[in-house]
């Protein structure tokens, strides 16, 4: 039996009204979802002035947490940059950083990786908006699979991205970052593209955490990765409906054995509370097999939405709109807030 500790992450949403230097840098968030990226940039002192998202339910979440930001709820493929600026009333406003995570389903190693998937071209819309809004920096987030993905013509997607940014006059770097290295209690790797059309530095945040806590980076002591136990609710506080039925547990065991015979991985993943949680995907709502809490062979449960949000380092007071399924999906889609904050702080240094 595992004894889970009972405290939640102390990441409060810090809303800086006035930047210490008297200047607030601005962001526009595309493919905003619930707003994980926005939240991290907000914590670092940025002000988001406009956003875009196709799914109305996700936009509602975004509005609940960012009531002063105009979010244009529309398929980005149907809107021009001029329409976006007009609708969001940002004509004439300088955009310091354009942020966004074009959908990655098509690129994801866990997904189909279908080169014909039209969603694969949504990053082209992101580039179109970089060209139109001319931000000083852009931050484009994606899954590691984007680095090996090929188009239907056999061209590497990453080469295409290089060509496109070069064409519009932006230099950029990309790097795979591990969320756990920035204090997120989750193993989640994401590729972060950072670009600029100026001669400002493009730097990535230095890790603050590591698997082992023995290193120092530039004189700073690295902390040990944060374990999932820091956000798990005590067993007696978890509603019964999050526990798997005997039928579901037997189904998982059967699937695991079938997979084993075929030489494939397990059908489910049990969280080790002492280490960061497995990646929470947008499909978590289905059966929670990404990451389950086990007390005994008969007592296995899913993470509650509140716990899943804490795994993604959303502040405790963050509100989600929609059904249970919608909420898990928005959480699984998000950029971990503390990872976004670390990236934002590094960009702020270059902008200052
Ligand atoms: C990976 S999620 C972004 C998560 C977000 N960056 C965060 O940190 O919470 C991608 C988002 O793009 C949205 N999306 C998909 N296709 C779109 C389109 N054609 N136009 C606008 N948004 C779209 C999805 O609904 C989803 O919310």
């Amino acid at each position: 039996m595992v004894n889970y500790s009972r405290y939640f992450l102390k990441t409060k949403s810090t809303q800086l009204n006035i930047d210490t230097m008297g200047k607030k840098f601005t962001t526009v968030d595309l493919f905003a979802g619930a707003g994980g990226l926005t939240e991290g940039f907000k914590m670092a002192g940025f002000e988001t002035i406009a956003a875009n998202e196709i799914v109305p339910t996700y936009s509602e979440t975004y509005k609940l947490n960012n009531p002063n930001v105009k979010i244009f709820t529309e398929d980005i493929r149907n809107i021009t940059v001029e329409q976006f600026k007009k609708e969001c009333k940002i004509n004439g406003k300088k955009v310091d950083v354009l942020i966004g995570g074009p959908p990655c389903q098509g690129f994801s190693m866990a997904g189909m990786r279908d080169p014909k998937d039209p969603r694969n071209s949504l990053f082209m819309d992101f580039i179109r908006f970089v060209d139109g809004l001319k931000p000083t920096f852009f931050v484009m987030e994606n899954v590691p699979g984007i680095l090996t993905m090929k188009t239907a013509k056999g061209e590497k997607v990453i080469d295409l991205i290089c060509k496109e940014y070069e064409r519009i006059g932006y230099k950029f770097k990309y790097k795979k970052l591990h969320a756990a290295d920035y204090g997120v209690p989750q193993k989640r790797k994401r590729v972060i593209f950072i670009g600029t059309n100026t001669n400002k530095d493009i730097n990535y945040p230095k890790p603050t955490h590591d698997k082992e806590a023995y290193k120092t980076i530039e004189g700073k002591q690295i902390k040990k990765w944060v374990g999932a136990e820091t956000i798990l609710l005590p067993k007696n506080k978890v509603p019964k409906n999050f526990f798997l039925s005997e039928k579901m547990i037997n189904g998982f065991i059967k699937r695991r054995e079938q997979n084993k015979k075929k030489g494939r991985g397990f059908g489910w993943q049990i969280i080790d509370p002492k280490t960061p949680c497995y990646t929470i995907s947008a499909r978590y709502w289905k059966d929670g097999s990404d990451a389950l809490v086990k007390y005994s062979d008969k007592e296995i449960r899913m993470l509650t939405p509140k716990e899943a949000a804490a795994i993604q380092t959303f502040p405790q007071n963050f509100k989600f709109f929609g059904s249970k399924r919608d909420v898990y999906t928005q959480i699984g889609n998000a950029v971990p807030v503390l990872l976004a904050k670390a990236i934002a702080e590094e960009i702020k240094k270059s902008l200052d």
Side-chain angles (χ1 to χ4, degrees), residues 29-38 52-55 58 74-77 100-105 119 122 141 314 330 333-336:
D29 193 352
L30 301 179
F31 308 97
L37 262 178
T38 287
N52 159 258
E53 166 58 48
I54 193 172
V55 180
Y58 307 169
E74 182 58 69
D75 186 334
I76 199 167
R77 289 168 296 187
C104 52
Q105 282 93 334
R119 285 171 303 197
L122 284 173
E141 172 260 351
F314 276 101
Q330 292 170 76
N333 269 338
V335 176

Side-chain angles (χ1 to χ4, degrees), residues 1 5 27 41 116 137 237 249 256 340 350:
M1 190 91 85
S5 54
T27 64
F41 272 75
K116 290 200 191 86
F137 279 96
K237 291 269 158 63
I249 295 177
R256 182 176 60 186
S350 297

Side-chain angles (χ1 to χ4, degrees), residues 24-190:
K24 242 178 155 188
F25 294 115
T26 59
T27 64
V28 166
D29 193 352
L30 301 179
F31 308 97
L37 262 178
T38 287
E39 199 62 26
F41 272 75
K42 216 157 90 178
M43 282 182 182
F46 284 81
E47 181 193 8
T48 303
I49 55 170
N52 159 258
E53 166 58 48
I54 193 172
V55 180
T57 311
Y58 307 169
S59 284
E60 287 305 317
T61 295
Y62 195 92
K63 283 186 220 163
L64 280 176
N65 298 283
N66 302 281
N68 300 325
V69 182
K70 172 73 191 164
I71 180 158
F72 192 178
T73 308
E74 182 58 69
D75 186 334
I76 199 167
R77 289 168 296 187
N78 298 340
I79 53 176
T80 65
V81 175
E82 287 313 312
Q83 279 171 321
F84 179 77
K85 286 205 280 193
K86 197 168 168 217
E87 177 74 19
C88 297
K89 300 191 174 63
I90 57 162
N91 263 316
K93 286 197 184 168
K94 169 76 186 147
V95 179
D96 292 305
V97 194
L98 181 68
I99 58 180
C104 52
Q105 282 93 334
F107 296 143
S108 170
M109 301 299 273
M112 302 288 286
R113 282 168 55 82
D114 176 3
K116 290 200 191 86
D117 186 337
R119 285 171 303 197
N120 282 345
S121 66
L122 284 173
F123 74 88
M124 290 297 214
D125 290 284
F126 186 87
I127 297 172
R128 180 166 61 85
F129 270 67
V130 173
D131 195 21
L133 294 172
K134 296 273 185 279
T136 307
F137 279 96
F138 70 80
V139 174
M140 189 175 89
E141 172 260 351
N142 224 291
V143 291
I146 196 173
L147 300 178
T148 47
M149 179 79 192
K150 286 188 177 160
T151 68
K153 288 184 193 154
E155 187 177 6
K156 278 181 87 177
V157 169
I158 187 70
D159 293 343
L160 198 64
I161 294 175
C162 284
K163 270 190 220 156
E164 285 299 303
Y165 278 126
E166 200 176 310
R167 182 181 63 77
I168 64 167
Y170 274 75
K171 62 172 184 183
F172 76 97
K173 290 182 183 171
Y174 60 90
K175 192 171 180 178
K176 211 188 288 178
L177 300 184
H178 193 334
D181 291 346
Y182 301 91
V184 177
Q186 183 188 192
K187 294 175 190 159
R188 188 181 186 102
K189 291 182 185 154
R190 286 296 179 265

Side-chain angles (χ1 to χ4, degrees), residues 57-58 282-286 305 321-332:
T57 311
Y58 307 169
R283 295 181 307 273
Y284 190 80
W285 59 271
K286 277 191 178 165
F321 184 83
S323 65
K324 204 152 101 179
R325 173 178 171 169
D326 292 328
V327 173
Y328 280 125
T329 309
Q330 292 170 76
I331 294 169

